[in-house]
Amino acid sequence: MAPGIAARQRALRLPRSPKIVAGLAILGFFVLWAVIGPVVAPYSPDQNFANAPVPLPPSAAHWLGTTALQQDVFSQLLVGGGDTVLVALVSGVIATALSVGIGVTAGYLGGLADDLLSMIANIFLVLPALPLLIIMIGFLGRSSSNDILVVGVIISITGWAFGARVLRAQTLSLRNREYVDSAKIIGEKWWRIVATEILPNLTPVVATSFLFTVLYGVGTYTALAFLGLVNPNWSWGGMLFYAQNSNAEISGYWWWFVPPGLAVALLGTSLVLLNFGIDEFINPRLRAAGLTRRAGRKAGRRPEFALTAVLKTSGGQS
Amino acid sequence: MRMIARRLGFYLVTAFVAVSVDFWMPRIIPGNPVDAILAKMQGVSITKSTIAALELQFGVNTKASLWSQYVHYLAQVLHGNFGISTSNGFVPVTTVIGGALPWTLGLVGVSTLISFCLGTVIGALVAWRRGSWLDNLLPVTTFFQAAPYFFLAFLAIDLFSIKLGWFPSGGAHQNLDFPGLNWTYLSDVLDHAVLPALTIVVASGAGWIVSMRNVMITTMDEDYVLIAAAKGLRERRVVWYAARNAVLPSVSGFALAIGFIVSGALLTEIVFSYPGLGLLLVNAVGDNDYALLQGIFLIITFAVLTANLLADFVYVFLDPRTRQEA
């Protein structure tokens, strides 16, 4: 088989998993939402409508009803996606860069550098993130905590350690492979070995740790906005903040808090699905056995206890 | 026991880092915390000595070197002196925290324990019965893993408190004053704790299910499990052997998870107006009550470290290999 075809097959194998397809589809939908949401929103999210004393349930004019200030929930929902996605991406990129830099360096160098860097990563893992973020924002004050980029950066400070730990462990297992040894004997610089021999083999792990930190960013930004600590523009967490301040959950104004909450949960679900898909790609045994079991019955084999059936099916499911 | 000693050393270092974060944060981040506090305190008469105490605490207008401030700060923390809470009538921070801590410890401790046990058992079952209807749980857990705790709290209130009227929607008990430890009071407290606990259990349980299932599936392919099954041991017994080994990564992963759970639980408390540390923390930010903020951060960190230490003991108990070095 020509190497080009092999490479293409490898690239194609990933998206066939239903989890990855579903995850990518939902994620793509939300990214699109974040970009064009503000354009297609029927009203301005700040505009006040009918002078009613209570939030109005969904109607033809306001598809998702109105808030206590008689603003259109649907428009807020459409506009609110941009910030959440942007902050999550910013913190995901910065945190992943940090975890690759620190994790791979620690794993590759070993010795004292490893001890020190691992220690720092472990400390960051154990320190409770949300209280730490809250006191950081408390001291930063309103002006800078309303800057989306600043928020993304401080979220990434608390979100890199998990990825660093996983990457360090993977690097440790790659460090003594023969191809790395041969590169050393040739006299390659250490950073060149890391970049060309080790990093390419870490791609799936880097991908999961990136998705994990983006997920962390979505959750954390929503939490901080929900607490009313960072609300520069409309965001889903901010909508929940205002909903809670008006006691929407006690008053039964479900149309106010269900849409933003569901949006966050679905965006998060897509990231978790993608992560699971990649995990199953790395470790095929993790797949739910529905398909293999059916295929097994077709092939006349009963799944035995404590054994993962390995079957070749024509659909390329394996 | 060398493992425990090593972990203990690590937790001490982490506690020291947390204390240092509290010290350096106001000194590194630009701005004057004392001015911010005073701006919030307009209308309240403040004595000169109070301002001096605040300035000393946050390192404003002081001639002392950073180093001597640091040593002084560490000594104060070691003596349990976390400063005074400006938003609660200048009582010591420890008093304010002491009133809220039992609620958080009780709620978060019990629900974390329930969610770990329940999630682990369900995860083992899902792995054992792989390919059965139990696999349908997995997409559900995906959703709960991704949904914010406080959103689930909203849904719990809307459904179980408002629509069905089964449980109260907020607070920790009905009585304003403490009537003594009688059954009426306890049942009232339990009644108020059900919904917040349920929220935390559902939200954090999903993660335990997935991690247990994934490890369990790998473990069930190990040779010793095959041998146990081949020897003709009852299936339950075999699963028990596999589960005992599969639970180890979950226990050692406890350290990673507890931070997330505590963060989520603090948010849950806020939705339920539960009088714990979460509510205190948010009010402290709003009031620029920095000493209280720092104190809560320290207390939560210490609690998380203690929980980790307990998990380490459980690990040593479960895994004989860690006891064999000596």
Side-chain angles (χ1 to χ4, degrees), chain A residues 165, chain B residues 3 116 120 208 211-212 215-216 219 224 240-255 311-323:
Chain A
R165 206 165 114 140
Chain B
M3 175 206 162
F116 180 82
T120 304
W208 297 124
S211 70
M212 182 63 183
V215 181
M216 182 82 177
T219 310
Y224 61 82
W240 172 245
Y241 283 146
R244 264 187 62 171
N245 286 285
V247 80
L248 291 177
S250 281
V251 177
S252 64
F254 194 81
D312 289 336
F313 277 118
V314 173
Y315 194 94
V316 170
F317 172 74
L318 286 174
D319 188 351
R321 284 171 296 187
T322 54
R323 280 174 271 159

mmCIF file of all heavy atoms in Angstrom, chain A residues 165, chain B residues 3 116 120 208 211-212 215-216 219 224 240-255 311-323:
data_model
loop_
_atom_site.group_PDB
_atom_site.id
_atom_site.type_symbol
_atom_site.label_atom_id
_atom_site.label_comp_id
_atom_site.label_asym_id
_atom_site.label_seq_id
_atom_site.Cartn_x
_atom_site.Cartn_y
_atom_site.Cartn_z
ATOM 1 N N ARG A 165 0.034 16.872 33.147
ATOM 2 C CA ARG A 165 0.300 15.605 33.811
ATOM 3 C C ARG A 165 0.171 14.435 32.847
ATOM 4 O O ARG A 165 1.025 13.551 32.812
ATOM 5 C CB ARG A 165 -0.694 15.450 34.963
ATOM 6 C CG ARG A 165 -0.180 14.586 36.049
ATOM 7 C CD ARG A 165 -1.035 14.777 37.253
ATOM 8 N NE ARG A 165 -1.746 13.546 37.524
ATOM 9 C CZ ARG A 165 -1.939 13.088 38.763
ATOM 10 N NH1 ARG A 165 -1.473 13.773 39.782
ATOM 11 N NH2 ARG A 165 -2.590 11.985 38.963
ATOM 12 N N MET B 3 4.495 6.013 51.273
ATOM 13 C CA MET B 3 3.665 6.737 50.328
ATOM 14 C C MET B 3 2.875 7.835 51.033
ATOM 15 O O MET B 3 2.822 8.968 50.583
ATOM 16 C CB MET B 3 2.706 5.757 49.644
ATOM 17 C CG MET B 3 1.713 6.435 48.740
ATOM 18 S SD MET B 3 0.230 5.438 48.594
ATOM 19 C CE MET B 3 -0.931 6.634 47.968
ATOM 20 N N PHE B 116 -19.657 9.091 44.820
ATOM 21 C CA PHE B 116 -18.530 8.208 44.484
ATOM 22 C C PHE B 116 -18.964 6.742 44.561
ATOM 23 O O PHE B 116 -18.719 5.968 43.632
ATOM 24 C CB PHE B 116 -17.359 8.458 45.436
ATOM 25 C CG PHE B 116 -16.176 7.583 45.151
ATOM 26 C CD1 PHE B 116 -15.275 7.922 44.150
ATOM 27 C CD2 PHE B 116 -15.962 6.413 45.857
ATOM 28 C CE1 PHE B 116 -14.199 7.118 43.861
ATOM 29 C CE2 PHE B 116 -14.880 5.597 45.578
ATOM 30 C CZ PHE B 116 -13.994 5.956 44.584
ATOM 31 N N THR B 120 -19.480 4.556 41.207
ATOM 32 C CA THR B 120 -18.557 3.443 40.993
ATOM 33 C C THR B 120 -19.310 2.131 40.796
ATOM 34 O O THR B 120 -18.993 1.347 39.898
ATOM 35 C CB THR B 120 -17.611 3.334 42.207
ATOM 36 O OG1 THR B 120 -16.960 4.590 42.375
ATOM 37 C CG2 THR B 120 -16.575 2.267 41.979
ATOM 38 N N TRP B 208 -17.802 9.621 37.799
ATOM 39 C CA TRP B 208 -17.369 8.367 38.424
ATOM 40 C C TRP B 208 -17.829 7.170 37.610
ATOM 41 O O TRP B 208 -17.105 6.187 37.487
ATOM 42 C CB TRP B 208 -17.903 8.267 39.853
ATOM 43 C CG TRP B 208 -17.408 9.324 40.778
ATOM 44 C CD1 TRP B 208 -18.171 10.180 41.520
ATOM 45 C CD2 TRP B 208 -16.048 9.659 41.080
ATOM 46 N NE1 TRP B 208 -17.371 11.018 42.249
ATOM 47 C CE2 TRP B 208 -16.073 10.717 42.006
ATOM 48 C CE3 TRP B 208 -14.819 9.171 40.648
ATOM 49 C CZ2 TRP B 208 -14.922 11.302 42.513
ATOM 50 C CZ3 TRP B 208 -13.665 9.746 41.151
ATOM 51 C CH2 TRP B 208 -13.727 10.796 42.071
ATOM 52 N N SER B 211 -15.477 6.861 34.525
ATOM 53 C CA SER B 211 -14.101 6.437 34.779
ATOM 54 C C SER B 211 -14.074 4.986 35.267
ATOM 55 O O SER B 211 -13.206 4.208 34.864
ATOM 56 C CB SER B 211 -13.410 7.381 35.765
ATOM 57 O OG SER B 211 -13.950 7.239 37.047
ATOM 58 N N MET B 212 -15.055 4.599 36.106
ATOM 59 C CA MET B 212 -15.090 3.218 36.576
ATOM 60 C C MET B 212 -15.348 2.267 35.417
ATOM 61 O O MET B 212 -14.692 1.236 35.288
ATOM 62 C CB MET B 212 -16.189 3.062 37.635
ATOM 63 C CG MET B 212 -16.265 1.671 38.227
ATOM 64 S SD MET B 212 -14.747 1.231 39.106
ATOM 65 C CE MET B 212 -15.080 -0.443 39.591
ATOM 66 N N VAL B 215 -12.153 1.801 33.177
ATOM 67 C CA VAL B 215 -11.095 0.994 33.759
ATOM 68 C C VAL B 215 -11.564 -0.454 33.902
ATOM 69 O O VAL B 215 -10.823 -1.402 33.652
ATOM 70 C CB VAL B 215 -10.664 1.559 35.131
ATOM 71 C CG1 VAL B 215 -9.545 0.722 35.703
ATOM 72 C CG2 VAL B 215 -10.247 2.989 34.987
ATOM 73 N N MET B 216 -12.827 -0.615 34.298
ATOM 74 C CA MET B 216 -13.378 -1.943 34.524
ATOM 75 C C MET B 216 -13.340 -2.775 33.245
ATOM 76 O O MET B 216 -13.022 -3.962 33.271
ATOM 77 C CB MET B 216 -14.818 -1.782 35.025
ATOM 78 C CG MET B 216 -15.504 -3.071 35.358
ATOM 79 S SD MET B 216 -15.083 -3.647 36.990
ATOM 80 C CE MET B 216 -16.121 -5.091 37.092
ATOM 81 N N THR B 219 -9.915 -3.894 32.778
ATOM 82 C CA THR B 219 -9.545 -4.877 33.795
ATOM 83 C C THR B 219 -10.155 -6.242 33.507
ATOM 84 O O THR B 219 -9.522 -7.271 33.734
ATOM 85 C CB THR B 219 -10.019 -4.396 35.182
ATOM 86 O OG1 THR B 219 -9.578 -3.057 35.369
ATOM 87 C CG2 THR B 219 -9.461 -5.271 36.278
ATOM 88 N N TYR B 224 -5.934 -12.544 35.054
ATOM 89 C CA TYR B 224 -6.389 -13.090 36.337
ATOM 90 C C TYR B 224 -7.898 -13.165 36.402
ATOM 91 O O TYR B 224 -8.450 -14.024 37.090
ATOM 92 C CB TYR B 224 -5.804 -12.313 37.525
ATOM 93 C CG TYR B 224 -6.160 -10.848 37.591
ATOM 94 C CD1 TYR B 224 -7.368 -10.429 38.123
ATOM 95 C CD2 TYR B 224 -5.267 -9.888 37.148
ATOM 96 C CE1 TYR B 224 -7.686 -9.096 38.207
ATOM 97 C CE2 TYR B 224 -5.576 -8.547 37.227
ATOM 98 C CZ TYR B 224 -6.782 -8.153 37.747
ATOM 99 O OH TYR B 224 -7.083 -6.843 37.821
ATOM 100 N N TRP B 240 -16.423 -9.024 41.407
ATOM 101 C CA TRP B 240 -15.919 -8.367 42.613
ATOM 102 C C TRP B 240 -14.402 -8.227 42.539
ATOM 103 O O TRP B 240 -13.836 -7.174 42.832
ATOM 104 C CB TRP B 240 -16.342 -9.175 43.840
ATOM 105 C CG TRP B 240 -15.730 -8.728 45.126
ATOM 106 C CD1 TRP B 240 -14.881 -9.425 45.903
ATOM 107 C CD2 TRP B 240 -15.910 -7.462 45.773
ATOM 108 N NE1 TRP B 240 -14.520 -8.700 46.998
ATOM 109 C CE2 TRP B 240 -15.128 -7.484 46.948
ATOM 110 C CE3 TRP B 240 -16.656 -6.318 45.469
ATOM 111 C CZ2 TRP B 240 -15.074 -6.407 47.811
ATOM 112 C CZ3 TRP B 240 -16.590 -5.250 46.339
ATOM 113 C CH2 TRP B 240 -15.816 -5.298 47.495
ATOM 114 N N TYR B 241 -13.716 -9.311 42.101
ATOM 115 C CA TYR B 241 -12.260 -9.242 41.969
ATOM 116 C C TYR B 241 -11.856 -8.162 40.964
ATOM 117 O O TYR B 241 -10.940 -7.370 41.205
ATOM 118 C CB TYR B 241 -11.703 -10.592 41.502
ATOM 119 C CG TYR B 241 -11.646 -11.628 42.587
ATOM 120 C CD1 TYR B 241 -11.858 -12.968 42.314
ATOM 121 C CD2 TYR B 241 -11.371 -11.254 43.894
ATOM 122 C CE1 TYR B 241 -11.802 -13.931 43.311
ATOM 123 C CE2 TYR B 241 -11.323 -12.206 44.897
ATOM 124 C CZ TYR B 241 -11.534 -13.538 44.602
ATOM 125 O OH TYR B 241 -11.478 -14.462 45.594
ATOM 126 N N ALA B 242 -12.540 -8.141 39.842
ATOM 127 C CA ALA B 242 -12.215 -7.144 38.814
ATOM 128 C C ALA B 242 -12.486 -5.742 39.343
ATOM 129 O O ALA B 242 -11.666 -4.836 39.192
ATOM 130 C CB ALA B 242 -13.019 -7.408 37.546
ATOM 131 N N ALA B 243 -13.629 -5.576 40.019
ATOM 132 C CA ALA B 243 -14.015 -4.250 40.482
ATOM 133 C C ALA B 243 -13.037 -3.723 41.529
ATOM 134 O O ALA B 243 -12.683 -2.544 41.522
ATOM 135 C CB ALA B 243 -15.433 -4.289 41.058
ATOM 136 N N ARG B 244 -12.575 -4.628 42.403
ATOM 137 C CA ARG B 244 -11.622 -4.184 43.434
ATOM 138 C C ARG B 244 -10.381 -3.580 42.822
ATOM 139 O O ARG B 244 -9.796 -2.635 43.333
ATOM 140 C CB ARG B 244 -11.217 -5.381 44.304
ATOM 141 C CG ARG B 244 -12.025 -5.488 45.558
ATOM 142 C CD ARG B 244 -11.482 -6.559 46.424
ATOM 143 N NE ARG B 244 -10.122 -6.308 46.857
ATOM 144 C CZ ARG B 244 -9.513 -7.038 47.761
ATOM 145 N NH1 ARG B 244 -10.135 -8.030 48.320
ATOM 146 N NH2 ARG B 244 -8.278 -6.770 48.113
ATOM 147 N N ASN B 245 -9.943 -4.178 41.707
ATOM 148 C CA ASN B 245 -8.757 -3.638 41.049
ATOM 149 C C ASN B 245 -9.073 -2.412 40.211
ATOM 150 O O ASN B 245 -8.261 -1.506 40.091
ATOM 151 C CB ASN B 245 -8.118 -4.709 40.169
ATOM 152 C CG ASN B 245 -7.415 -5.749 40.999
ATOM 153 O OD1 ASN B 245 -6.347 -5.493 41.516
ATOM 154 N ND2 ASN B 245 -8.036 -6.894 41.173
ATOM 155 N N ALA B 246 -10.283 -2.420 39.629
ATOM 156 C CA ALA B 246 -10.634 -1.319 38.734
ATOM 157 C C ALA B 246 -10.909 -0.030 39.490
ATOM 158 O O ALA B 246 -10.836 1.059 38.920
ATOM 159 C CB ALA B 246 -11.840 -1.706 37.889
ATOM 160 N N VAL B 247 -11.217 -0.140 40.777
ATOM 161 C CA VAL B 247 -11.589 1.067 41.512
ATOM 162 C C VAL B 247 -10.349 1.905 41.863
ATOM 163 O O VAL B 247 -10.452 3.098 42.145
ATOM 164 C CB VAL B 247 -12.395 0.706 42.782
ATOM 165 C CG1 VAL B 247 -11.495 0.266 43.902
ATOM 166 C CG2 VAL B 247 -13.264 1.877 43.205
ATOM 167 N N LEU B 248 -9.161 1.282 41.789
ATOM 168 C CA LEU B 248 -7.953 1.999 42.219
ATOM 169 C C LEU B 248 -7.736 3.325 41.473
ATOM 170 O O LEU B 248 -7.489 4.342 42.115
ATOM 171 C CB LEU B 248 -6.732 1.088 42.096
ATOM 172 C CG LEU B 248 -6.721 -0.071 43.102
ATOM 173 C CD1 LEU B 248 -5.531 -0.975 42.866
ATOM 174 C CD2 LEU B 248 -6.692 0.475 44.520
ATOM 175 N N PRO B 249 -7.810 3.339 40.118
ATOM 176 C CA PRO B 249 -7.623 4.622 39.448
ATOM 177 C C PRO B 249 -8.656 5.664 39.851
ATOM 178 O O PRO B 249 -8.344 6.857 39.906
ATOM 179 C CB PRO B 249 -7.752 4.275 37.964
ATOM 180 C CG PRO B 249 -7.431 2.837 37.876
ATOM 181 C CD PRO B 249 -7.920 2.234 39.149
ATOM 182 N N SER B 250 -9.873 5.229 40.152
ATOM 183 C CA SER B 250 -10.881 6.192 40.591
ATOM 184 C C SER B 250 -10.476 6.816 41.924
ATOM 185 O O SER B 250 -10.635 8.018 42.133
ATOM 186 C CB SER B 250 -12.243 5.511 40.749
ATOM 187 O OG SER B 250 -12.863 5.346 39.511
ATOM 188 N N VAL B 251 -9.944 5.980 42.822
ATOM 189 C CA VAL B 251 -9.536 6.506 44.130
ATOM 190 C C VAL B 251 -8.354 7.459 43.968
ATOM 191 O O VAL B 251 -8.316 8.537 44.554
ATOM 192 C CB VAL B 251 -9.182 5.364 45.096
ATOM 193 C CG1 VAL B 251 -8.690 5.913 46.418
ATOM 194 C CG2 VAL B 251 -10.394 4.482 45.326
ATOM 195 N N SER B 252 -7.398 7.051 43.108
ATOM 196 C CA SER B 252 -6.257 7.954 42.959
ATOM 197 C C SER B 252 -6.639 9.169 42.117
ATOM 198 O O SER B 252 -5.981 10.200 42.184
ATOM 199 C CB SER B 252 -5.060 7.222 42.347
ATOM 200 O OG SER B 252 -5.377 6.792 41.051
ATOM 201 N N GLY B 253 -7.716 9.059 41.328
ATOM 202 C CA GLY B 253 -8.193 10.218 40.573
ATOM 203 C C GLY B 253 -9.047 11.142 41.420
ATOM 204 O O GLY B 253 -9.482 12.197 40.960
ATOM 205 N N PHE B 254 -9.277 10.740 42.650
ATOM 206 C CA PHE B 254 -10.095 11.544 43.544
ATOM 207 C C PHE B 254 -9.520 12.947 43.707
ATOM 208 O O PHE B 254 -10.256 13.931 43.733
ATOM 209 C CB PHE B 254 -10.166 10.835 44.893
ATOM 210 C CG PHE B 254 -11.226 11.365 45.801
ATOM 211 C CD1 PHE B 254 -12.538 10.968 45.639
ATOM 212 C CD2 PHE B 254 -10.908 12.252 46.810
ATOM 213 C CE1 PHE B 254 -13.518 11.451 46.470
ATOM 214 C CE2 PHE B 254 -11.891 12.745 47.644
ATOM 215 C CZ PHE B 254 -13.186 12.339 47.474
ATOM 216 N N ALA B 255 -8.196 13.004 43.753
ATOM 217 C CA ALA B 255 -7.534 14.297 43.934
ATOM 218 C C ALA B 255 -7.919 15.270 42.827
ATOM 219 O O ALA B 255 -8.142 16.452 43.073
ATOM 220 C CB ALA B 255 -6.022 14.104 43.968
ATOM 221 N N ALA B 311 -8.380 10.047 50.966
ATOM 222 C CA ALA B 311 -8.407 9.174 49.790
ATOM 223 C C ALA B 311 -7.120 8.358 49.704
ATOM 224 O O ALA B 311 -7.138 7.181 49.315
ATOM 225 C CB ALA B 311 -8.596 10.007 48.530
ATOM 226 N N ASP B 312 -5.981 8.970 50.102
ATOM 227 C CA ASP B 312 -4.712 8.237 50.099
ATOM 228 C C ASP B 312 -4.747 7.062 51.072
ATOM 229 O O ASP B 312 -4.282 5.972 50.758
ATOM 230 C CB ASP B 312 -3.558 9.168 50.482
ATOM 231 C CG ASP B 312 -3.261 10.153 49.374
ATOM 232 O OD1 ASP B 312 -3.598 9.845 48.217
ATOM 233 O OD2 ASP B 312 -2.704 11.219 49.670
ATOM 234 N N PHE B 313 -5.347 7.307 52.259
ATOM 235 C CA PHE B 313 -5.458 6.224 53.232
ATOM 236 C C PHE B 313 -6.293 5.086 52.657
ATOM 237 O O PHE B 313 -5.949 3.909 52.796
ATOM 238 C CB PHE B 313 -6.076 6.732 54.544
ATOM 239 C CG PHE B 313 -5.084 7.382 55.453
ATOM 240 C CD1 PHE B 313 -5.203 8.716 55.809
ATOM 241 C CD2 PHE B 313 -4.022 6.653 55.967
ATOM 242 C CE1 PHE B 313 -4.280 9.316 56.636
ATOM 243 C CE2 PHE B 313 -3.098 7.241 56.809
ATOM 244 C CZ PHE B 313 -3.220 8.575 57.132
ATOM 245 N N VAL B 314 -7.408 5.448 52.012
ATOM 246 C CA VAL B 314 -8.261 4.427 51.401
ATOM 247 C C VAL B 314 -7.470 3.644 50.361
ATOM 248 O O VAL B 314 -7.561 2.421 50.268
ATOM 249 C CB VAL B 314 -9.511 5.089 50.768
ATOM 250 C CG1 VAL B 314 -10.312 4.056 49.977
ATOM 251 C CG2 VAL B 314 -10.380 5.696 51.846
ATOM 252 N N TYR B 315 -6.656 4.367 49.599
ATOM 253 C CA TYR B 315 -5.872 3.717 48.548
ATOM 254 C C TYR B 315 -4.904 2.695 49.148
ATOM 255 O O TYR B 315 -4.796 1.568 48.677
ATOM 256 C CB TYR B 315 -5.101 4.772 47.761
ATOM 257 C CG TYR B 315 -4.542 4.244 46.462
ATOM 258 C CD1 TYR B 315 -5.250 4.383 45.282
ATOM 259 C CD2 TYR B 315 -3.310 3.603 46.416
ATOM 260 C CE1 TYR B 315 -4.765 3.899 44.089
ATOM 261 C CE2 TYR B 315 -2.807 3.102 45.230
ATOM 262 C CZ TYR B 315 -3.543 3.265 44.071
ATOM 263 O OH TYR B 315 -3.061 2.771 42.899
ATOM 264 N N VAL B 316 -4.217 3.118 50.200
ATOM 265 C CA VAL B 316 -3.276 2.203 50.859
ATOM 266 C C VAL B 316 -4.015 0.989 51.402
ATOM 267 O O VAL B 316 -3.545 -0.144 51.333
ATOM 268 C CB VAL B 316 -2.529 2.937 51.997
ATOM 269 C CG1 VAL B 316 -1.738 1.962 52.844
ATOM 270 C CG2 VAL B 316 -1.622 3.994 51.416
ATOM 271 N N PHE B 317 -5.224 1.220 51.922
ATOM 272 C CA PHE B 317 -6.029 0.125 52.442
ATOM 273 C C PHE B 317 -6.431 -0.840 51.327
ATOM 274 O O PHE B 317 -6.425 -2.063 51.505
ATOM 275 C CB PHE B 317 -7.268 0.707 53.132
ATOM 276 C CG PHE B 317 -8.268 -0.327 53.542
ATOM 277 C CD1 PHE B 317 -8.024 -1.156 54.626
ATOM 278 C CD2 PHE B 317 -9.451 -0.478 52.841
ATOM 279 C CE1 PHE B 317 -8.946 -2.116 54.992
ATOM 280 C CE2 PHE B 317 -10.379 -1.444 53.214
ATOM 281 C CZ PHE B 317 -10.121 -2.260 54.285
ATOM 282 N N LEU B 318 -6.765 -0.275 50.139
ATOM 283 C CA LEU B 318 -7.271 -1.115 49.051
ATOM 284 C C LEU B 318 -6.171 -1.835 48.290
ATOM 285 O O LEU B 318 -6.379 -2.930 47.777
ATOM 286 C CB LEU B 318 -8.072 -0.254 48.057
ATOM 287 C CG LEU B 318 -9.452 0.201 48.504
ATOM 288 C CD1 LEU B 318 -10.045 1.146 47.471
ATOM 289 C CD2 LEU B 318 -10.368 -0.986 48.692
ATOM 290 N N ASP B 319 -5.009 -1.193 48.193
ATOM 291 C CA ASP B 319 -3.951 -1.741 47.343
ATOM 292 C C ASP B 319 -2.795 -2.241 48.204
ATOM 293 O O ASP B 319 -1.999 -1.451 48.699
ATOM 294 C CB ASP B 319 -3.457 -0.662 46.372
ATOM 295 C CG ASP B 319 -2.499 -1.252 45.364
ATOM 296 O OD1 ASP B 319 -2.109 -2.425 45.530
ATOM 297 O OD2 ASP B 319 -2.143 -0.545 44.414
ATOM 298 N N PRO B 320 -2.698 -3.555 48.405
ATOM 299 C CA PRO B 320 -1.662 -4.097 49.288
ATOM 300 C C PRO B 320 -0.251 -3.761 48.810
ATOM 301 O O PRO B 320 0.669 -3.700 49.617
ATOM 302 C CB PRO B 320 -1.891 -5.612 49.226
ATOM 303 C CG PRO B 320 -3.181 -5.803 48.517
ATOM 304 C CD PRO B 320 -3.489 -4.580 47.760
ATOM 305 N N ARG B 321 -0.091 -3.536 47.502
ATOM 306 C CA ARG B 321 1.257 -3.263 46.989
ATOM 307 C C ARG B 321 1.882 -2.049 47.661
ATOM 308 O O ARG B 321 3.082 -1.972 47.860
ATOM 309 C CB ARG B 321 1.212 -3.031 45.479
ATOM 310 C CG ARG B 321 1.048 -4.293 44.695
ATOM 311 C CD ARG B 321 0.803 -3.983 43.255
ATOM 312 N NE ARG B 321 -0.455 -3.270 43.074
ATOM 313 C CZ ARG B 321 -0.988 -2.986 41.892
ATOM 314 N NH1 ARG B 321 -0.348 -3.307 40.790
ATOM 315 N NH2 ARG B 321 -2.128 -2.366 41.801
ATOM 316 N N THR B 322 1.047 -1.048 48.009
ATOM 317 C CA THR B 322 1.599 0.158 48.617
ATOM 318 C C THR B 322 2.065 -0.096 50.041
ATOM 319 O O THR B 322 2.753 0.724 50.622
ATOM 320 C CB THR B 322 0.543 1.282 48.662
ATOM 321 O OG1 THR B 322 -0.613 0.772 49.303
ATOM 322 C CG2 THR B 322 0.202 1.771 47.285
ATOM 323 N N ARG B 323 1.661 -1.246 50.626
ATOM 324 C CA ARG B 323 2.044 -1.513 52.013
ATOM 325 C C ARG B 323 3.274 -2.404 52.097
ATOM 326 O O ARG B 323 3.756 -2.686 53.170
ATOM 327 C CB ARG B 323 0.876 -2.196 52.735
ATOM 328 C CG ARG B 323 -0.191 -1.240 53.192
ATOM 329 C CD ARG B 323 -1.366 -1.992 53.749
ATOM 330 N NE ARG B 323 -2.327 -2.313 52.710
ATOM 331 C CZ ARG B 323 -3.226 -3.279 52.802
ATOM 332 N NH1 ARG B 323 -3.242 -4.041 53.878
ATOM 333 N NH2 ARG B 323 -4.071 -3.518 51.847
#
